[in-house]
């Protein structure tokens, strides 16, 4: 059993048996309907289900209700809902990074469709700059100074390359509310970028690609035999938590045949990567985990029971193989110069 598999197992992601690369059956977590004050909003996990037209749909992001218990004040919310042009997300106030991000990728959204005219204006990352998200309350906000000389990259959870359809959409991916600290060399600038590229390339095979990015905190076994979760916190004073792992969870759909465009073939899969340098030659399938494992350890319900029961594994529907693109280094050098400059 690999270290990642052992960590997820200990975190209670699966009951009985060991981890396998296959998808296991599980009951989706129910949506919390607990009553809270009207002043408190909470974000329900982004459940993907099947709509009446047979297409995958995201559930409602937030709900509000009331309770007299919180008449004179309330402590929440823990997560702030974020709705942007290219993605939706939930920002974790405790950890100062997203709890999850969700995207819907298509050839059209990436500007690669021959049937849809490209927009007059497209996003240029050299015109974008990292910035603090003023929609997040100041006490819970990630700051530029937190990353300064931290040793970590400001890692996009939603890649800028997924939002090329407009400059505004791309600019929104540079909010720090879309960032989490990532090891740079060997991960954010390399293997993680290869995985992001693989997600985009799925649009060449599937009509719709849903991508969820989830920072994770997995336990490790200490010399005393006990399992603990420990992680670094960057900033002065310490402010932004550094995830131990990151997950990419994908759901794809395409018509089963041209004659039946409304009958969809679904495929899903999850990949859990350590926040550490990963050799280029490492097979992507090494990081395959059950979707349910990610859901359990993250406390999310990503897909409905109907989706889970009808989905193939993504590696059965397409090749799970990254393409090493070292030329990304040259493209990201201006970004890295900005990353090591003093915050304003």
């Amino acid at each position: 059993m690999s270290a990642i598999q052992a960590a997820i197992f200990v975190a209670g992601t699966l009951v009985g048996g060991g981890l396998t690369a296959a998808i296991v059956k599980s009951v989706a977590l129910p949506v919390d309907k607990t009553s809270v004050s009207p002043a408190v909003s909470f974000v329900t996990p982004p459940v993907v289900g099947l709509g009446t037209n047979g297409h995958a749909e995201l559930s409602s992001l937030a709900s509000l209700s009331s309770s007299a218990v919180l008449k004179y004040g309330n402590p929440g919310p823990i997560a702030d809902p974020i709705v942007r042009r290219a993605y939706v997300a939930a920002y974790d106030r405790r950890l100062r990074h997203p709890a999850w991000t969700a995207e819907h990728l298509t050839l059209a959204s990436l500007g690669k469709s021959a049937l849809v005219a490209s927009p007059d204006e497209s996003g240029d990352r050299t015109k974008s700059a990292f910035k603090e998200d003023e929609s997040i309350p100041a006490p819970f906000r990630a700051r530029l100074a937190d990353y300064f000389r931290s040793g970590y990259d400001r890692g996009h959870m939603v890649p800028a390359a997924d939002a090329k359809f407009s400059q505004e959409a791309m600019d929104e991916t540079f909010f720090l509310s879309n960032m989490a600290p990532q090891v740079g060399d060997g991960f954010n600038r390399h293997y993680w970028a290869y995985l992001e590229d693989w997600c985009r390339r799925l649009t060449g095979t599937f009509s719709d690609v849903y991508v969820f990015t989830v920072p994770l905190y997995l336990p490790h076994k200490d010399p005393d035999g006990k399992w603990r979760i420990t992680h670094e916190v960057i900033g002065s004073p310490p402010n932004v938590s550094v995830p131990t792992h990151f997950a990419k969870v994908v759901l794809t759909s395409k018509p089963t045949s041209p004659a039946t465009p409304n009958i969809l073939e679904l495929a899903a899969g999850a990949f859990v990567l350590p926040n550490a340098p990963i050799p280029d030659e490492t097979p992507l399938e090494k990081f395959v985990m059950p979707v349910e494992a990610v859901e359990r350890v993250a406390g999310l319900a990503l897909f409905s029971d109907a989706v889970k029961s009808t989905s193939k594994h993504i590696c059965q529907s397409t090749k799970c193989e990254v393409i090493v693109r070292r030329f990304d280094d040259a493209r990201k050098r201006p970004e890295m110069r900005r990353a090591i400059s003093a915050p304003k």
Side-chain angles (χ1 to χ4, degrees), residues 292-314:
E292 289 85 351
V294 175
E295 289 182 318
R296 287 174 182 262
V297 74
L300 300 174
L302 298 176
F303 305 148
S304 68
D305 286 343
V307 166
K308 291 177 183 178
S309 63
T310 56
S311 296
K312 296 181 179 179
H313 192 271
I314 189 65

Side-chain angles (χ1 to χ4, degrees), residues 166-244:
S166 76
Q167 190 62 49
E168 291 80 6
M170 182 168 286
D171 288 346
E172 288 177 341
T173 68
F174 280 82
F175 280 118
L176 292 189
S177 56
N178 181 45
M179 306 291 161
Q182 291 186 325
V183 170
D185 189 36
F187 188 69
N188 178 51
R189 298 170 229 163
H190 299 111
Y191 207 93
W192 184 252
Y194 311 154
L195 178 56
E196 293 172 334
D197 173 69
W198 177 80
C199 291
R200 286 189 291 273
R201 287 190 287 111
L202 291 175
T203 59
T205 303
F206 303 96
S207 55
D208 295 276
V209 179
Y210 298 86
V211 182
F212 299 89
T213 304
V214 186
L216 296 174
Y217 293 82
L218 301 184
H220 63 274
K221 193 173 186 178
D222 282 338
D224 62 3
K226 296 182 179 180
W227 291 83
R228 297 181 176 87
I229 297 176
T230 58
H231 65 273
E232 188 176 350
V233 183
I234 61 174
S236 182
N239 192 44
V240 180
S241 297
V242 181
T244 64

